[in-house]
Amino acid sequence: MIPLYINFAESISHQDLLNRKGFFNNIQPLDADSECINPIYKEYLSPKTLRRLSPILKASLAIIAIYKKTTHKAFDAVIVGTGLGCLTDTGKFLDTIRKAKSDDLLSPTSFIQSTHNTVSGQISIFLQNLNYNITHSQNHLSFEISLLDAMTELNSGKRHVLVGGVDEEHPFLNKLVKAFNINTYPLSFCAAFFALSKKGEKSSIFIKDVTIDFSTDSAFDVASKCCKREGIPIKDIDLIFHSDTKSFNSISHPNCKNYLDFTGLNYSASALATHIAYDYLANSQKKSALIVNNLLKDKGAAVTLIIKDD
Amino acid sequence: MNIYITGHSSISAIGQSHTEVYQRLIAKETGIRQEAKDQGAFRGLVKQSNKSLSKLYNLKKPYSRTTILGIAAGIELFKKYSIEPTSILKTGFVSGTSVGGIDFTEQEYIRFLSGNTYNPEVFKNHPSGAVTDQIAQKLYPFDIVNTISTACSSSTNAIIFGAKLMQMGLVDRVVVGGTDALSDFTIKGFSSLGIYSEGVCKPFDRNRQGLNLGEGAAYLLLENKKSLNLSENKILAELTGWANESDAFHQTASSPEGEGAQRSMMGAITMAGLQPKDISYISAHGTATPNNDLSESNALLKVFGIVPPFSSTKSYTGHTLAASGALEASFCLIGMEKNCLFPNLFFENVIEETGLTPVTNPVKEKKINHILSNAFGFGGNNTSIILSQV
């Protein structure tokens, strides 16, 4: 597989991680009533830009603004994964439809910003980026599919690729979660972005393997398969970050955690877990982390192996 | 690596079987009709109801129309071509959709907003990925499944991503395409943009007013050599080039000179190892909005100078949004097989600024070597692919 060196990683979520390093040891599980920790957006984006943006667009563009300050390297590809897309604007436009009388002219803003690829499209406009621009929306696997796509892009000669995992909170999701009796983790917000390249710039941390498997329910089997292929016994992995306590509580491993405790529940939670695992490797002597994502049990599992070079 | 196209199927306002579609295309018979139920708007609707399609394809549960249309196109693909179950081949499914199951969920959500009782179960059909999973379940135990959602270029990008999965060695064969049904959300959304045509749309005509919405689904079968050796499917064409480029101009409008479109067309031509003069025919995006057709015409002039024969079949089907790219690729494959260029209906006068005349009657050719097909979406998403005769 093509290595994906992580040259930049930032996220906005219910954890206070933006512009911070070395947070792994202090990170706490989320409270049931936790909320997204928003930065002061006007430090990153103009008031004119901010006025029309939904939370997911604000968070995504603020992170990209931070990237822009740190480097001049333009992206050859912008790849975004999202399970549910731009929910706030979708909900807003449906409400506009509901309230409208038959001959009313509707305001198009929320419709325009409701399409799933609004985040990737707005990034291209914000950066004046003219290159490959895509949005994958395969439920909880959207981020890992995006990583695979990054590998294909780097393999075809591209040098710098942006990959993001974004999913919004929406009050209606809380209603559904109650109706379905899912009360395991608080619903949450995630915008996590990574600048990736085939060769490390300053970074020695890279995604070595992304294995996606639609044939088994067992996340543990997929993790074992990935480790076997890479020749690393699963017990030697420094951090196992999974989304399925049932599958993993039988293995004895000193550092095996359910990342949903820290990320909360959203379709891009594994993107945030990847940011946290990156921080763990970047600020310690540790060498390896495995993210095992089978958030929707019968809809495929993905395993991401992150390694630090010697 | 050669990527062979060995199958295709579609469902749209001009029917389902290749014979029916071909006959309507050469008879210049549009599928766009005035819908009395829909305040007299002109739409390209699939004639079968959800009920009749569900009966035909033995669907026991209620699904969104987006899923049902996808299943209809998918099952026909599996019936017509050899896609035998085997563990020797890795098989993928990549489907594009713009709004997923919203046609099924929007009314329930509005009931919720209005304080009425609603059925939460319905919302399991909403996510784009859920639509793809539902279609996949009816077709094959795929090794990898993915959904692309880049608005109106979704299914063309799905074709490209399927090819990339093949290049990466993750699949030997892959079903690619997309599906979109009409929903109140989309109908009101495009209305808010003020880009509807009051009558049947007139792509590339000076007096074009805008688009007609349509619905449909289409899938292509891509195979590598290894898969082909086993399936013995006939090679219909080769996917020789593709490019996806951003316009970075506006969330919904194309730049006046179509810079993104220029780069996507040139990128696909270059990847195929061709020159612009090698292109036999262009299946244009041609939505018939004032903005798209002028911008696309400008881009065509910039890339080609002397523009090859081109047309927009949206004058037959309406704009089927996420499905349009794969649907039009399916029409291109029929054209390639029959050595026929399909016309652009309702064209009368050239756009003054560009002076381009599309193909207005079916044209029989000796051989169609290379077809360029365009699909442009919201977010300045410009995609072009090249289908080549083998």
Side-chain angles (χ1 to χ4, degrees):
Chain A
M1 281 191 157
I2 308 297
L4 301 174
Y5 278 86
I6 302 174
N7 301 306
F8 168 93
E10 285 290 356
S11 63
I12 291 173
S13 71
H14 293 215
Q15 297 284 356
D16 186 12
L17 310 183
L18 193 70
N19 290 319
R20 290 182 56 213
K21 286 185 174 69
F23 48 74
F24 181 83
N25 288 328
N26 301 319
I27 201 163
Q28 297 298 320
L30 295 181
D31 295 332
D33 57 353
S34 80
E35 287 180 359
C36 181
I37 299 173
N38 289 303
I40 299 164
Y41 280 115
K42 62 177 189 216
E43 289 178 6
Y44 304 102
L45 303 166
S46 72
K48 196 181 147 219
T49 307
L50 281 171
R51 248 198 320 273
R52 58 189 171 81
L53 297 184
S54 64
I56 199 75
L57 290 171
K58 273 184 207 172
S60 301
L61 293 186
I63 293 173
I64 301 310
I66 293 170
Y67 174 80
K68 215 172 147 185
K69 266 191 206 160
T70 58
T71 172
H72 297 293
K73 289 200 177 83
F75 293 116
D76 301 308
V78 172
I79 304 171
V80 172
T82 178
L84 294 174
C86 297
L87 281 183
T88 304
D89 278 316
T90 304
K92 221 189 224 177
F93 193 66
L94 281 172
D95 200 30
T96 306
I97 292 175
R98 181 180 73 100
K99 287 176 180 155
K101 300 196 178 67
S102 64
D103 52 352
D104 280 357
L105 283 176
L106 307 181
S107 159
T109 311
S110 56
F111 175 68
I112 286 172
Q113 295 187 164
S114 71
T115 45
H116 279 49
N117 68 329
T118 310
V119 174
S120 65
Q122 285 293 318
I123 290 172
S124 78
I125 293 171
F126 186 73
L127 291 175
Q128 281 300 294
N129 186 290
L130 303 175
N131 300 321
Y132 181 71
N133 193 285
I134 201 86
T135 300
H136 297 285
S137 185
Q138 189 54 37
N139 304 321
H140 63 301
L141 302 177
S142 307
F143 177 67
E144 286 82 354
I145 296 260
S146 299
L147 291 175
L148 275 187
D149 198 358
M151 289 181 182
T152 71
E153 285 298 303
L154 293 173
N155 194 36
S156 72
K158 307 284 179 73
R159 294 171 61 210
H160 302 285
V161 175
L162 178 73
V163 170
V166 299
D167 265 295
E168 278 188 312
E169 273 179 300
H170 193 279
F172 185 63
L173 290 178
N174 284 305
K175 300 267 178 206
L176 290 181
V177 158
K178 271 194 196 130
F180 298 141
N181 256 326
I182 305 166
N183 49 11
T184 42
Y185 303 94
L187 290 183
S188 58
F189 176 100
C190 174
F193 283 88
F194 304 85
L196 306 170
S197 63
K198 200 155 49 167
K199 288 190 184 125
E201 287 160 14
K202 289 170 208 156
S203 173
S204 58
I205 296 166
F206 67 104
I207 294 169
K208 189 162 194 283
D209 194 307
V210 178
T211 301
I212 302 180
D213 197 315
F214 284 81
S215 65
T216 172
D217 282 355
S218 168
F220 186 75
D221 286 354
V222 185
S224 308
K225 200 156 86 181
C226 174
C227 286
K228 199 173 163 194
R229 183 163 72 195
E230 296 296 345
I232 307 170
I234 200 160
K235 66 171 174 49
D236 291 352
I237 299 277
D238 293 312
L239 168 68
I240 298 173
F241 239 0
H242 62 80
S243 60
D244 183 7
T245 304
K246 230 185 209 165
S247 287
F248 281 86
N249 66 10
S250 58
I251 73 159
S252 97
H253 188 285
N255 206 10
C256 179
K257 298 170 195 283
N258 189 325
Y259 64 76
L260 296 172
D261 284 324
F262 307 99
T263 62
L265 208 53
N266 68 74
Y267 278 164
S268 292
S270 62
L272 182 59
T274 302
H275 182 205
I276 298 169
Y278 167 79
D279 177 83
Y280 166 75
L281 296 178
N283 298 288
S284 71
Q285 300 301 312
K286 304 294 184 184
K287 300 277 187 208
S288 59
L290 202 61
I291 320 284
V292 188
N293 166 16
N294 66 332
L295 194 61
L296 294 187
K297 294 293 173 286
D298 54 347
K299 302 279 184 239
V303 176
T304 305
L305 175 65
I306 314 175
I307 295 286
K308 182 160 68 183
D309 272 344
D310 288 325
Chain B
M1 171 195 266
N2 297 329
I3 292 157
Y4 301 107
I5 305 173
T6 56
H8 62 104
S9 75
S10 72
I11 183 166
S12 72
I14 57 167
Q16 206 171 0
S17 75
H18 290 181
T19 315
E20 185 186 5
V21 169
Y22 174 64
Q23 277 169 359
R24 294 193 63 167
L25 285 168
I26 56 165
K28 299 176 68 170
E29 204 182 310
T30 184
I32 299 167
R33 295 272 177 276
Q34 192 165 18
E35 296 297 327
K37 266 194 256 171
D38 199 356
Q39 296 175 335
F42 285 80
R43 312 254 189 249
L45 300 183
V46 169
K47 120 185 131 204
Q48 300 98 314
S49 67
N50 283 351
K51 206 172 155 189
S52 69
L53 287 170
S54 296
K55 200 173 160 200
L56 188 62
Y57 294 107
N58 200 20
L59 307 179
K60 306 281 186 226
K61 283 199 306 186
Y63 290 109
S64 76
R65 188 158 173 85
T66 307
T67 294
I68 294 171
L69 295 176
I71 289 173
I75 287 183
E76 293 303 327
L77 185 83
F78 273 73
K79 268 193 207 162
K80 199 166 159 62
Y81 303 97
S82 154
I83 318 176
E84 297 299 317
T86 168
S87 57
I88 301 167
L89 300 175
K90 293 272 182 210
T91 310
F93 182 49
V94 186
S95 186
T97 178
S98 68
V99 285
I102 205 166
D103 64 284
F104 204 25
T105 55
E106 61 190 0
Q107 292 312 323
E108 285 301 308
Y109 186 67
I110 287 174
R111 288 179 63 79
F112 155 74
L113 287 176
S114 306
N116 296 322
T117 55
Y118 63 96
N119 177 7
E121 283 295 319
V122 165
F123 292 92
K124 291 183 178 168
N125 297 282
H126 181 83
S128 300
V131 165
T132 307
D133 285 342
Q134 288 169 345
I135 300 165
Q137 273 166 13
K138 297 287 173 200
L139 301 181
Y140 191 87
F142 293 105
D143 295 288
I144 185 161
V145 175
N146 185 34
T147 309
I148 305 259
S149 195
T150 56
C152 303
S153 54
S154 299
S155 60
T156 309
N157 285 324
I159 295 172
I160 295 176
F161 191 67
K164 284 165 63 166
L165 288 176
M166 203 180 274
Q167 285 183 328
M168 236 185 141
L170 290 172
V171 295
D172 299 297
R173 55 185 183 179
V174 56
V175 174
V176 291
T179 176
D180 251 343
L182 275 186
S183 63
D184 224 30
F185 186 87
T186 332
I187 289 171
K188 300 267 168 57
F190 279 88
S191 162
S192 77
L193 296 174
I195 52 173
Y196 283 140
S197 177
E198 279 175 22
V200 185
C201 68
K202 304 168 79 159
F204 296 104
D205 185 87
R206 183 190 302 164
N207 302 316
R208 70 200 179 283
Q209 287 178 317
L211 55 77
N212 308 121
L213 283 179
E215 59 179 3
Y219 291 106
L220 274 55
L221 174 62
L222 309 182
E223 293 185 82
N224 66 12
K225 193 84 191 140
K226 180 182 170 192
S227 173
L228 206 56
N229 287 342
L230 252 99
S231 73
E232 296 181 344
N233 282 319
K234 186 181 158 207
I235 300 170
L236 306 175
E238 216 179 295
L239 181 67
T240 51
W242 61 76
N244 164 293
E245 306 277 341
S246 293
D247 211 19
F249 175 71
H250 184 269
Q251 179 61 24
T252 54
S254 304
S255 61
E257 293 299 314
E259 277 95 351
Q262 288 177 36
R263 278 182 291 103
S264 72
M265 287 192 274
M266 215 44 231
I269 291 169
T270 308
M271 179 182 169
L274 301 173
Q275 303 284 331
K277 65 175 170 43
D278 299 323
I279 299 299
S280 326
Y281 164 73
I282 298 158
S283 171
H285 186 55
T287 56
T289 63
N291 172 250
N292 176 81
D293 290 10
L294 179 59
S295 167
E296 190 172 8
S297 295
N298 282 328
L300 287 172
L301 283 168
K302 273 271 164 56
V303 171
F304 291 95
I306 299 164
V307 179
F310 72 98
S311 63
S312 162
T313 50
K314 288 191 174 68
S315 48
Y316 287 89
T317 59
H319 189 355
T320 57
L321 308 177
S324 65
L327 182 65
E328 287 156 25
S330 175
F331 296 170
C332 288
L333 290 163
I334 294 176
M336 209 172 234
E337 190 198 336
K338 305 276 187 189
N339 290 319
C340 185
L341 308 183
F342 299 126
N344 182 115
L345 305 180
F346 311 111
F347 173 86
E348 287 166 326
N349 300 297
V350 295
I351 299 170
E352 275 167 341
E353 297 95 313
T354 56
L356 293 179
T357 304
V359 175
T360 53
N361 281 302
V363 179
K364 277 281 183 187
E365 296 276 343
K366 277 202 186 107
K367 195 180 174 200
I368 301 168
N369 288 315
H370 303 285
I371 296 179
L372 174 82
S373 180
N374 284 337
F376 309 143
F378 279 10
N381 202 279
N382 298 93
T383 308
S384 302
I385 56 172
I386 292 178
L387 314 176
S388 298
Q389 184 85 253
V390 181

